[in-house]
Amino acid sequence: MSRLVIGPFNRVEGDLEVALDVADGRVRGAEVSASLYRGFENLLVGRDPLDALVLVPRICGICSVSQSAAAAAALAAAAGLVMPANGRLAQNLIHCCENLADHLTHFYCFFMPDFARDGYAGAPWHAGVAERFRAQRGSALADWLPARTDFLRVLGYLAGKWPHTLALQPGGTTRAITPTEKVRLAEVLREFRDFLETTLFADALEAFAALDSPAALAAWAEARDGDLARFVRVALALGLERVGRAGDRFLSFGAYAAAGGPLLPRGVWQDGAALALDPAAIVEDVSHAWLEDGAALPPAAGETRPLADPDAKPAAYSWCKAPRYAGRAVETGALARQLLAGQPLAASLVAAHGGSVLARVVARMSEVARLLPQMEQWLREIAPGEPFCAEWTAPQDAHGVGLVEAARGALGHWLTIERGRIAGYQIVAPTTWNFSPRDAAGQPGALEQALVGLPVGAGERNPPIVQHVVRSFDPCMVCTVH
Amino acid sequence: MKILWLQASGCGGCTQSLLGAESRRGVLARLAGGGVELVFHPALAEASGDEALALLAAAADGTLAFDALCVEGALLRGPNGSGRFHVLAGSGVPMIDWVRRLAARARHVLAIGSCTAYGGIAASGDNLLEACGLQFDGAEPGGLLGADFRAGSGLPVVNVAGCPIHADWVVDTLLALAAGAFAAGDLDALQRPRFYSEQLVHHGCPKNEFYEFKASAQKPSDLGCLMENLGCKGTQAHADCNVRPWYGVGSCLRGGFSCIACTEPGFEEPGHPFMATPKVAGIPIGLPLDMPKAWFVALAALSKSATPKRVRESATRDHPLPLPSTKKGPRP
Ligand code: SF4
Ligand code: SF4
């Protein structure tokens, strides 16, 4: 058995190190480590409750609105506040804009450059892919970055700035849009649709969203020349529809508030079926984290106590806690959301080979194709002249939970207010689920499971297949170690 | 100009903001056009794992030449000065040690964002992390590299402060450095580029009419001035946010929420709730930096008594009261 330590993993958000035990050309075990500690949960304690809206977005510059939305939801729950329809629609638009931009930034800037690497030179597809997706210099960036900036005008209009807006409040948003801004926003969405339909999908969004089987996906990819079709053809050539399976147990907190519950439902997907989510089944374990030992606790009662001497705890190998749902490690992300929403392509990809590199990326892109039309609809529903924000009255003693979906999965904030101040604040981020270390029972986290069995050639120091599997989860380590 | 970019303990938001710079072919093409090349950036580099470490090691020992070191995120010296709260993955070496070694080789050193300039959010509360900036600890000179540090060019650390930075604050600074058009005199007392820090956020604020008449918002989403009740520090914060919109259209104030002075050292600990204005005898304690207090108080009293109805009433609504009709005769 030999041990391979890989790090830093660039083109992820934050610091990640992966240690692999390799024998007979295969990964036998993996340890995933977050090598940075940030401690936001502790610095929130003692603050005015609304200060959370300033602090928590700064956990993450790539999903700052998600952090903001979770805090706003927790504060609203603590105060029993209900937001007016316009506030809900504007929050959905703001949040969805960030999530879609995030999916595509991941695709173009972080994920695809690995296929352009010299290691693949000689593959029949390599030259074209390298020209298009090379890190920093690929031609795709000259298309994507300006399209991204233009799309972020949604946040400029509705949220003032991004990242780190204060526009999301417990009662709605701070910016009532005017009729002319509504017209302009429609134009922004139209231009973005045009970019997606020309460059990414080379097809109508609705046509891609209607694909319902692996065979339909393969035929679709053969027939066109967009960036996503390029990826699908390469992925199938490399067998990535069979690579990167974790435990096939998926969790979503539900996304985008609608009148009768979230648009994308909350739940747990297990053994091919959707189950209701029970938030009380969530605990965080610290047995393998550089944190003071203690029992696995539900987040509402959670603690975060970093070790002054991490070396004193030999079993620990990460600053990340290990969240578990009903005692089991779960995977979260776009694939979980699409499965729970009953999307046939996601379901059939998982039915065929379980969660995989291909399934995760395709689920993200299905989400892009399905949600942009939804953004168009939300915008139409905004009624200028109607209120955008309900007034907040600070509760003296209360609990609140905010469960939302960041681009990369389930994000929860658990808040306690005592005597008008924050007395407890715990956060469980998507990558905390996906990249968690082992728990007290020795059960590995989702990525640790997904890495086992991957082939590693003799003398390979940084196998590309490992890079693909790691990045298929779109990790965000700064959130993980909040 | 070859750049090495490191992410210390930040949120990556400054990079995300930078990627959103307005440009016909994207910010990377814009930088390349000005002769700025990112030899290494954690979010964009092709190299990963061993290759990335080898590149950084070569830069640190002088075998790989580079010009500018950009650091994003606070420097964590904890626990107990060990730097163990942030070890550069795969290297076993604390990030603060990498930064010290690389800074010693750089012609220019830039702190990208308020975390790196002054400590930022990471340094709030009792600062268990022992977080600091590259050359400041809050508003105190010092920080990781020490008050006497000078980069190869003779310049101290250039603090492109902001949380996050506006993309153009970084792009303009880098392009000016690459063109040799940036000197010590272009920095203010807190080592921020003066081109954006010698203005006030208040300048160009879309709520100026409300400010002039002291017609104030009472709650979020109200149109009125945010200074009197909702904690806005736009009259005391150094930055040009309202004349340099985000994504061509937005700013904090345009978004309807208060400036929290994110370009200033210590913004993370205002000593009061961010969204409330501390007052003494009904007068905000933080007053505009560009006028004497007595004037402000006198003018406020006067203008309050002369506030037009349209302005006074719009201040506490989220949609403006319509302008009076320009036509003669009865209004509909
Ligand atoms: S300065 Fe603000 S935006 Fe930049 S890295 Fe720090 S927390 Fe993130
Ligand atoms: S308006 Fe204030 S808080 Fe907003 S970006 Fe500018 S300086 Fe920072």
Side-chain angles (χ1 to χ4, degrees), chain A residues 335-396:
Chain A
L335 183 56
R337 289 192 292 271
Q338 293 298 312
L339 283 170
L340 286 157
Q343 212 263 317
L345 181 56
S348 57
L349 285 167
V350 170
H353 299 293
S356 66
V357 173
L358 178 74
R360 289 183 192 107
V361 176
V362 165
R364 259 180 221 120
M365 297 305 146
S366 298
E367 209 161 78
V368 172
R370 286 160 175 263
L371 288 175
L372 193 78
Q374 184 63 53
M375 289 180 79
E376 294 163 348
Q377 178 59 27
W378 286 326
L379 181 65
R380 280 193 291 272
E381 288 173 24
I382 284 185
E386 301 288 322
F388 277 70
C389 199
E391 199 166 354
W392 152 270
T393 316
Q396 284 304 295

